[in-house]
Amino acid sequence: EPEVTQTPSHQVTQMGQEVILRCVPISNHLYFYWYRQILGQKVEFLVSFYNNEISEKSEIFDDQFSVERPDGSNFTLKIRSTKLEDSAMYFCASSETPGGETQYFGPGTRLLVL
Amino acid sequence: GQSLEQPSEVTAVEGAIVQINCTYQTSGFYGLSWYQQHDGGAPTFLSYNGLDGLEETGRFSSFLSRSDSYGYLLLQELQMKDSASYFCAVRDLGSGGGADGLTFGKGTHLIIQP
């Protein structure tokens, strides 16, 4: 069964450093998403992406964040200058339909900023 | 804005039936989705209701009443592996033409006792 994959599974970084989180969505999906989940809290939407551009972004997704689809398979989230409060689990998801009622989530990248 | 309310924790006995409620307030509404998340895992899609009524998928059913802004997830024949967090979610209505993210509730932690 096709699945969303994410790398790395864990990332530890120093405050102020840049990190790139990588995702490979399901191959026939056209709609991509990033979410984050701070430990013990709910899943929060960051950004959605379609047709090589951002469709929607939340207020969390400020100028330190960017997304890119550098090739036909990868979808990346870059955090330019990490802060302590960026420590969270980051999930990538993809869907076949724009409504995204059924989104398939990857296993996540646990980011720890020290 | 969008907000969803669901109980923080529910306890049930193995083999029993449990209902997890969700009420929502949204600026626009397409439907209600339900996701399951085991500790340390990714959210997994369970069910979606776009129209009023009951949707059944095996041991899981979901119900929606648009007039009451209310839905629930029903889990039957509970098994220990059903111990997890359950999130209701609604689609964020973006500018149209692209991918819409999901707004999640805070989740209900389901504890199953033998």
Side-chain angles (χ1 to χ4, degrees), chain A residues 31-33 35 37 40-45 48-50 55-56 89 91 95 98-108 110, chain B residues 2 30-31 33 35 37 40-45 47-48 87 91-95 97-107:
Chain A
Y31 306 90
F32 314 125
Y33 314 83
Y35 294 85
Q37 186 176 33
Q41 298 186 23
K42 68 175 182 177
V43 177
E44 298 176 291
F45 170 71
S48 60
F49 192 87
Y50 167 69
S55 297
E56 184 190 357
M89 181 74 93
F91 291 107
S95 68
E101 294 87 3
T102 307
Q103 296 187 13
Y104 296 86
F105 283 72
R110 184 167 295 284
Chain B
Q2 322 224 78
Y30 276 98
S33 300
Y35 285 78
Q37 186 180 33
T44 303
F45 172 78
S47 187
Y48 171 73
F87 295 86
R91 173 180 168 186
D92 296 327
L93 299 183
S95 54
D100 294 332
L102 292 172
T103 294
F104 284 80
K106 293 184 177 179

Side-chain angles (χ1 to χ4, degrees), chain B residues 10-83:
Chain B
V10 171
T11 301
V13 178
E14 192 176 13
I17 299 172
V18 71
Q19 178 174 312
I20 299 173
N21 299 319
C22 174
T23 57
Y24 58 86
Q25 286 186 310
T26 61
S27 51
F29 183 77
Y30 276 98
L32 191 69
S33 300
W34 288 92
Y35 285 78
Q36 178 192 60
Q37 186 180 33
H38 287 98
D39 280 348
T44 303
F45 172 78
L46 289 177
S47 187
Y48 171 73
N49 294 76
L51 301 173
D52 284 1
L54 194 67
E55 290 285 336
E56 296 180 81
T57 310
R59 294 188 298 115
F60 296 160
S61 303
S62 59
F63 172 83
L64 177 67
S65 168
R66 296 169 78 109
S67 60
D68 295 323
S69 297
Y70 163 76
Y72 65 72
L73 179 70
L74 192 73
L75 295 84
Q76 303 181 73
E77 300 171 21
L78 285 171
Q79 303 173 9
M80 296 304 293
K81 67 178 183 179
D82 297 329
S83 293

Side-chain angles (χ1 to χ4, degrees), chain A residues 1 13 83:
Chain A
E1 185 174 327
T13 190
K83 299 181 278 214

